């Protein structure tokens, strides 16, 4: 089982009045689950996501070595993508703590924990 916790986002520059996290897995050749979503928070530039913990089961560390990607999207209250990042599951195989990932929007980052 993979557990991913999105701790915070910085320099998001969201246009709406709130943000939330959407997290999914792709590229394993089998469907896991539809994208999972956190609750919205009222912070739009720098957000602390208190309930953005996502569990992907069944997904093992062995599966991670076979490929696939974790997709993290920060969304605004109108379901528009504020920023998105993709990280290889293989890079998460040993677990990460407070790893910073750059979003595709200029200057924005998220910080995550991940463990199997």
């Amino acid at each position: 089982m993979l557990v991913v916790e999105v701790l915070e986002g910085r320099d998001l520059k969201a246009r709406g009045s709130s943000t939330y996290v959407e997290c999914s897995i792709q590229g394993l050749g089998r469907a896991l689950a539809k994208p999972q979503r956190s609750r919205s928070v009222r912070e739009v530039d720098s957000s602390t996501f208190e309930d953005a913990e996502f569990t992907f089961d069944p997904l093992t560390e062995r599966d991670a070595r076979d490929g696939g990607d974790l997709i993290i999207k920060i969304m605004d209250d109108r379901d528009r993508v504020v920023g998105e990042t993709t990280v290889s599951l293989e890079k998460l195989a040993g677990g990460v703590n407070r790893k910073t990932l750059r979003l595709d929007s200029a200057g924005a980052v998220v910080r995550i924990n991940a463990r199997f």
Side-chain angles (χ1 to χ4, degrees), residues 1-4 23-33 36 54-71 87-93 114-116:
M1 165 175 35
L2 172 63
V3 178
V4 176
C23 203
S24 61
I25 302 288
Q26 82 178 39
L28 286 178
R30 61 186 160 96
L32 284 172
Q36 299 177 36
F54 307 98
T55 302
F56 299 96
D57 190 23
L59 180 67
T60 66
E61 199 165 347
R62 185 176 192 177
D63 294 328
R65 290 190 174 93
D66 291 339
D69 295 306
L70 171 69
I71 312 297
V87 62
S88 165
L89 291 175
E90 191 172 13
K91 290 182 179 180
L92 303 177
R115 67 187 180 283
F116 282 90

Side-chain angles (χ1 to χ4, degrees), residues 31-98:
L32 284 172
K34 63 181 182 176
Q36 299 177 36
R37 175 184 166 163
S38 72
R39 284 195 307 254
S40 295
V41 295
R42 293 272 176 220
E43 303 161 359
V44 294
D45 187 46
S46 294
S47 300
T48 301
F49 302 104
E50 295 179 9
D51 78 327
E53 183 172 293
F54 307 98
T55 302
F56 299 96
D57 190 23
L59 180 67
T60 66
E61 199 165 347
R62 185 176 192 177
D63 294 328
R65 290 190 174 93
D66 291 339
D69 295 306
L70 171 69
I71 312 297
I72 299 171
K73 293 181 183 180
I74 307 299
M75 309 289 287
D76 71 11
D77 57 346
R78 294 187 179 160
D79 297 327
R80 295 177 295 208
V81 177
V82 173
E84 178 177 345
T85 190
T86 301
V87 62
S88 165
L89 291 175
E90 191 172 13
K91 290 182 179 180
L92 303 177
V96 296
N97 191 32
R98 299 192 61 78

Side-chain angles (χ1 to χ4, degrees), residues 7-38:
L7 304 170
E8 63 185 345
R10 296 282 176 229
D11 301 319
L12 300 174
K13 300 175 184 82
R15 292 175 286 172
S17 60
S18 63
T19 56
Y20 66 90
V21 180
E22 186 176 279
C23 203
S24 61
I25 302 288
Q26 82 178 39
L28 286 178
R30 61 186 160 96
L32 284 172
K34 63 181 182 176
Q36 299 177 36
R37 175 184 166 163
S38 72

